[in-house]
Amino acid sequence: MRLSDLKTGESAVVLKVLGHGGFRRRIMEMGFVQGKRVEVVLNAPLLDPISYRIMDYNVSLRRSEAHMVVVITDREAESWKTGVVSEGTTECDSIDEVVRQCTKHVHVALVGNPNSGKTSLFNAISGGHEHVGNYSGVTVGAKVGYRTYKGYHFEITDLPGTYALAAYTPEEIYVRKHLADDTPDVIINAVVASNLERNLYLTTELIDINQRMVVALNMFDELEASGARLDHATLGGMLGVPMVPVVARSGRGIEELLDTVIDVFENRDDRVRHIHINQGTVVEAGLQTVDNLLKESRDELPKQFPPRYFAMKLLEGDRYAVEQLRSCERFPEWMEAGKREAKKIEEQLGEDVETALANHKYGFISGALKETFTAGTRESLRTTEIIDTFVTHKLWGFPIFFFLMWLMFYCTYAVGAYPQAWIEAGVEWLGGLVQRMMPDGVLKDLLTEGVIGGAGSVIVFLPNIMILYLFISFMEDSGYLARAAFIMDRVMHRMGLHGKSFIPLVMGFGCNVPAIMATRTIESFSSRLITILIMPFMSCSARMPIYILLVGAFFPSHPGAVMLGLYALGILLAMFTAKQIMRRFLFRIDETPFVMELPPYRMPTWRATLSHMWEKCAQYLRKMGGMILIASVIVWFLSYYPRTEAAEPRADAYASSYLGQVGKACEPVFEPLGLNWKAAVALVSGVAAKEIVVSTIGVLYAGEEMTADADSEKAGTEPLAARLAASGDFTTASALAFLVFILIYFPCVATVSAIATEAGWRWAAISIVYNTLLAWIVSFLVYHLANCF
Ligand code: GDP
Ligand code: MG
């Protein structure tokens, strides 16, 4: 509970004081320290200040100040006590004991540049398995983990990577909001030890907001390998922040890091000191003026960040800070002063305030490093340079890239075919077993046709998907994908996009949903929106089973070409949509220029790559066990009922079933594409998830006789594909039209909701309509063109 919530006459014990260092110190000096009992003398709802009695003194606090003090009442302590005791963990006899326990909860926020190893640190501390990747912007949104260490309970939040705390990108805004609203007790600032110059910039921004902080000098192994030397104790002393060398990947130094966090949390680390980074006489003068003005109404200011910070932000004209101050009485005056001083500075220095502040910060950093850092031979960076001369070479870059892409898809399909055949045999065997063991009846039909026929037809593609993800994970983690994005930058510009859009688009081949979330790293709004909207054209792994099935059935002579053609068609349509439609009619100009980062190559650990791959596969299996299983049972049910005379041939029974009726109703729409009602049904069911198209086909063509299939299986043919080809429902042309339609139409439900979350329902609706219309038109063209040959 917060102190401001207590009513007159109530009392409670202080747990902690939130807010920036200066504020905390002042409040604590007034007696509001951990474990002290405070009583409310008078708290009238509309009255400010509130008066309290603490340590036999009467003091008054502003309501906004009292709000920053966390307390625990006897009642809360009581329920806490019983809660704990019932779990049987610790017995707390007195409120003091409860307070002691409560104050051992430490909220830690992980803040750092993209790719500084925050998530690796997070995993090392909490034992989690969050996704680690070697390019910026892997973590979008915050993840929370827990760890108990030396009697302290840590709650660790892994935040998205940022270079600064300005309000330019969604990540920066997110991190700043988290620091202001969720008030972590201690910040762990992850810093790449071998790239201090750039990484420490964020540290200086964090120093400005004066919160308790520890710097984790991550990837210290790289620093050591390069032969460089860093006197981190002195550097930490200069910055007033304790620094701990760690290697997040192997877990080295993590305990020392946690020890330091505890010391800082308990205010007993004497290395902690709040410094002001000198901004040079001109800027300091302006800063002082605004700062003094703000301090005159100190009580009104937000308590999370110090006045000097707000003064800086007012000079910069920072949107977010302005919003925070807007409600204050003297806001117009401050705003005015900020503008005036900023103008003065610009006139005197010939550069804007933001640049001036940044320059001084960089000056401060390079000065501090000059005294504490000795560069090594930079062995690891040289390796990176050598690889880069080939991989990002003007001539060889592209062939290498295309070779890797080809290798990825080749392995996915060709190598994947072997385990695929084994699983297929297993599914067939299981079907045959059930067929033999069970008495005839509805249940048997449900199991063989609905469950095994439907879900079984999808699970066989798991190996292909695993291989695809293995490649994507490896390319991401090693840093190659960032190079691919770099060399693709020029090509992407042709489409009116950036290289930065490229990584999400490649991820889209795996699954569109995380790929759409990964677009958050794209600063420019229009580029981001375009990338999101063309994402469904990337053939995700859910469409793969359909391709493999139909291509196997109807194009056995040149499967590779057709498959490649489908992927290529998707990419062409994406380019067309981006360039010819979106950039031409909706967003003529692109706003933000940006930097393409090239992180150094890092050999991914097998553990990380495999766990990353497994994560995705587990997701696939969950989908199998859930949505796809349910959908195939529903499809089976609809195809089974209403029951007619059993003697009737199977195909006719389907035609008169509910499913047949739905399909028939849609048939006119699909007829011009050469598709019959069965195909229509498969397409309609695929709206939920594209894998369901295959499971639906699996149910619809469940085979006249399973036993007959068992024979044909021995002959070595692919059962479902063979049945499809034999059914005569598709010609080569209509199969092609069907494939094309699947590629383009309605993105699955999960993708639509991801688009809606990221861009709003309006764009999600547009995407549905546009994609489905385009699918019909292109399929129509393909069907009729194919018929000409
Ligand atoms: P984030 O973007 O800040 O969350 O960074 P990640 O945790 O995703 O890590 C980025 C890259 O740095 C990955 O390739 C990690 O394998 C690598 N990495 C993380 N910690 C270390 C470390 O201590 N030493 C080395 N050599 N590499 C590391
Ligand atoms: Mg991360």
Side-chain angles (χ1 to χ4, degrees):
M1 190 183 244
R2 298 296 172 92
L3 185 58
S4 53
D5 299 332
L6 288 184
K7 303 202 175 57
T8 308
E10 289 182 328
S11 76
V13 176
V14 176
L15 287 182
K16 63 184 171 192
V17 183
L18 306 173
H20 67 87
F23 170 77
R24 250 191 359 254
R25 198 165 345 98
R26 194 162 59 82
I27 296 295
M28 280 160 53
E29 277 163 9
M30 290 165 88
F32 293 86
V33 283
Q34 198 180 88
K36 288 281 181 258
R37 184 165 284 276
V38 53
E39 191 187 328
V40 185
V41 176
L42 181 65
N43 180 1
L46 291 175
L47 221 60
D48 213 357
I50 311 173
S51 71
Y52 295 100
R53 187 159 186 83
I54 191 162
M55 296 196 279
D56 289 330
Y57 283 99
N58 276 358
V59 288
S60 52
L61 287 187
R62 287 273 181 160
R63 197 168 285 279
S64 59
E65 292 171 331
H67 183 70
M68 301 299 281
V69 181
V70 183
V71 295
I72 183 167
T73 61
D74 294 339
R75 200 152 12 90
E76 279 179 316
E78 202 57 47
S79 60
W80 207 84
K81 225 154 69 179
T82 48
V84 172
V85 171
S86 69
E87 276 171 33
T89 41
T90 350
E91 184 107 17
C92 316
D93 302 325
S94 60
I95 186 162
D96 292 344
E97 182 60 22
V98 175
V99 170
R100 225 176 51 75
Q101 294 272 334
C102 283
T103 49
K104 291 207 159 177
H105 284 262
V106 192
H107 288 240
V108 178
L110 274 168
V111 182
N113 286 5
N115 222 22
S116 59
K118 295 175 298 302
T119 305
S120 304
L121 263 176
F122 175 84
N123 290 343
I125 297 175
S126 69
H129 298 284
E130 281 309 322
H131 175 192
V132 172
N134 196 7
Y135 58 85
S136 68
V138 180
T139 312
V140 285
K143 290 270 162 42
V144 179
Y146 301 90
R147 165 81 179 260
T148 305
Y149 177 76
K150 292 196 176 163
Y152 286 83
H153 305 288
F154 291 91
E155 181 183 320
I156 310 127
T157 312
D158 183 20
L159 292 167
T162 53
Y163 293 112
L165 292 181
Y168 287 124
T169 63
E171 283 84 24
E172 288 176 354
I173 296 171
Y174 189 99
V175 171
R176 206 153 106 177
K177 237 177 113 49
H178 179 89
L179 296 182
D181 300 345
D182 297 342
T183 51
D185 296 312
V186 182
I187 294 171
I188 294 182
N189 176 206
V191 158
V192 180
S194 51
N195 189 3
L196 288 170
E197 192 110 32
R198 179 170 180 192
N199 276 253
L200 286 178
Y201 184 79
L202 179 63
T203 312
T204 63
E205 298 252 282
L206 291 168
I207 288 173
D208 287 343
I209 63 172
N210 191 12
Q211 309 220 339
R212 284 178 286 186
M213 170 165 66
V214 177
V215 166
L217 292 167
N218 193 25
M219 309 190 193
F220 213 73
D221 54 334
E222 285 186 358
L223 179 104
E224 285 168 340
S226 72
R229 265 174 307 136
L230 174 70
D231 178 0
H232 63 268
T234 309
L235 182 64
M238 286 173 173
L239 270 66
V241 182
M243 292 190 166
V244 184
V246 294
V247 181
R249 216 154 65 171
S250 66
R252 202 181 104 195
I254 296 297
E255 303 215 328
E256 199 193 329
L257 179 68
L258 291 179
D259 288 335
T260 313
V261 170
I262 293 174
D263 285 348
V264 169
F265 174 72
E266 297 286 10
N267 300 316
R268 61 176 179 227
D269 194 312
D270 45 22
R271 287 172 289 183
V272 177
R273 184 166 59 94
H274 180 53
I275 60 160
H276 286 180
I277 293 157
N278 193 302
Q279 295 293 346
T281 37
V282 179
V283 182
E284 279 298 333
L287 209 50
Q288 277 305 321
T289 314
V290 183
D291 191 31
N292 288 338
L293 207 57
L294 285 173
K295 277 183 180 152
E296 281 170 22
S297 14
R298 190 194 284 276
D299 295 339
E300 273 195 64
L301 294 176
K303 304 295 181 295
Q304 296 94 340
F305 301 148
R308 183 180 157 95
Y309 170 80
F310 282 109
M312 268 183 214
K313 293 293 145 179
L314 276 175
L315 288 182
E316 289 178 85
D318 180 281
R319 271 185 292 144
Y320 183 76
V322 165
E323 272 325 301
Q324 271 186 300
L325 295 178
R326 197 179 287 284
S327 59
C328 300
E329 206 179 309
R330 293 176 63 185
F331 171 73
E333 189 187 336
W334 297 339
M335 200 55 198
E336 221 269 326
K339 280 204 184 115
R340 192 184 59 231
E341 294 300 325
K343 194 144 168 264
K344 239 195 267 175
I345 294 170
E346 267 157 46
E347 272 162 14
Q348 290 183 37
L349 294 180
E351 58 187 4
D352 63 23
V353 179
E354 242 174 299
T355 319
L357 287 173
N359 284 345
H360 280 106
K361 282 183 173 163
Y362 276 120
F364 171 82
I365 295 167
S366 72
L369 287 180
K370 194 145 270 156
E371 290 182 36
T372 52
F373 182 76
T374 330
T377 43
R378 301 206 156 224
E379 199 60 60
S380 70
L381 285 184
R382 234 176 23 223
T383 325
T384 290
E385 273 164 33
I386 292 169
I387 302 178
D388 270 349
T389 47
F390 289 96
V391 165
T392 60
H393 189 269
K394 263 201 290 246
L395 287 178
W396 308 325
F398 280 100
I400 293 176
F401 169 70
F402 286 120
F403 170 74
L404 287 173
M405 287 287 142
W406 173 83
L407 189 68
M408 173 166 94
F409 284 108
Y410 177 77
C411 290
T412 302
Y413 292 110
V415 179
Y418 296 99
Q420 191 194 334
W422 305 332
I423 297 186
E424 208 159 61
V427 170
E428 282 299 313
W429 174 81
L430 194 69
L433 191 72
V434 174
Q435 188 77 26
R436 260 173 300 176
M437 304 295 277
M438 282 183 63
D440 281 347
V442 177
L443 193 62
K444 176 170 149 181
D445 289 348
L446 170 68
L447 275 181
T448 53
E449 293 171 11
V451 176
I452 299 175
S457 53
V458 182
I459 197 165
V460 298
F461 301 102
L462 184 66
N464 307 74
I465 286 164
M466 282 174 82
I467 295 173
L468 182 68
Y469 274 123
L470 185 67
F471 269 88
I472 295 184
S473 301
F474 187 84
M475 290 199 301
E476 264 181 64
D477 294 354
S478 63
Y480 178 71
L481 214 47
R483 270 68 188 186
F486 183 78
I487 60 169
M488 289 303 283
D489 194 43
R490 279 244 303 279
V491 180
M492 299 300 278
H493 273 291
R494 293 257 168 83
M495 303 170 50
L497 290 176
H498 291 312
K500 266 204 175 173
S501 306
F502 184 74
I503 292 175
L505 288 174
V506 170
M507 286 169 72
F509 287 124
C511 175
N512 285 182
V513 176
I516 285 174
M517 304 214 297
T519 59
R520 290 192 195 165
T521 45
I522 303 168
E523 285 95 344
S524 138
F525 171 77
S526 62
S527 291
R528 186 162 167 240
L529 190 62
I530 295 175
T531 311
I532 289 175
L533 292 176
I534 63 175
M535 192 62 79
F537 294 122
M538 301 297 118
S539 285
C540 67
S541 59
R543 278 167 261 190
M544 207 158 73
I546 318 175
Y547 296 169
I548 298 178
L549 178 69
L550 274 104
V551 169
F554 298 100
F555 306 95
S557 50
H558 27 263
V562 177
M563 209 79 99
L564 196 69
L566 283 167
Y567 279 94
L569 178 66
I571 294 168
L572 282 177
L573 286 171
M575 288 164 77
F576 168 79
T577 306
K579 179 79 183 169
Q580 299 303 326
I581 298 192
M582 307 281 293
R583 276 284 176 228
R584 174 167 297 188
F585 298 112
L586 294 171
F587 310 99
R588 301 217 117 199
I589 38 167
D590 186 19
E591 313 94 30
T592 344
F594 70 97
V595 185
M596 291 284 311
E597 293 111 21
L598 292 179
Y601 286 101
R602 301 213 161 88
M603 195 59 196
T605 56
W606 273 108
R607 224 188 82 196
T609 308
L610 288 179
S611 88
H612 178 190
M613 177 190 87
W614 174 242
E615 216 173 88
K616 296 281 158 47
C617 293
Q619 210 175 327
Y620 183 76
L621 285 175
R622 272 198 296 276
K623 200 153 102 180
M624 285 283 324
M627 182 135 76
I628 293 175
L629 187 63
I630 294 169
S632 35
V633 170
I634 293 176
V635 168
W636 173 82
F637 185 85
L638 292 175
S639 73
Y640 201 73
Y641 291 100
R643 291 299 280 162
T644 42
E645 316 248 311
E648 220 178 308
R650 208 39 165 290
D652 293 346
Y654 277 135
S656 58
S657 68
Y658 295 122
L659 198 62
Q661 290 163 24
V662 173
K664 291 259 168 61
C666 299
E667 202 169 17
V669 181
F670 294 108
E671 206 154 14
L673 314 180
L675 301 174
N676 67 357
W677 66 271
K678 285 189 181 181
V681 165
L683 290 174
V684 171
S685 63
V687 162
K690 301 227 164 156
E691 293 98 332
I692 297 174
V693 172
V694 170
S695 61
T696 304
I697 292 178
V699 174
L700 286 176
Y701 294 88
E704 324 311 332
E705 291 303 322
M706 271 286 184
T707 38
D709 282 328
D711 295 338
S712 63
E713 176 208 347
K714 278 188 207 106
T717 49
E718 290 176 29
L720 184 55
R723 285 199 293 272
L724 255 184
S727 72
D729 282 346
F730 291 93
T731 61
T732 315
S734 68
L736 205 57
F738 187 67
L739 282 169
V740 168
F741 197 87
I742 301 241
L743 163 70
I744 313 168
Y745 88 123
F746 192 102
C748 70
V749 171
T751 303
V752 169
S753 82
I755 296 178
T757 321
E758 298 299 317
W761 277 106
R762 200 165 67 93
W763 287 110
I766 289 174
S767 165
I768 293 172
V769 175
Y770 174 75
N771 283 35
T772 310
L773 270 180
L774 189 68
W776 196 92
I777 296 169
V778 178
S779 299
F780 183 81
L781 292 177
V782 165
Y783 179 61
H784 287 276
L785 272 177
N787 267 339
C788 295
F789 293 107

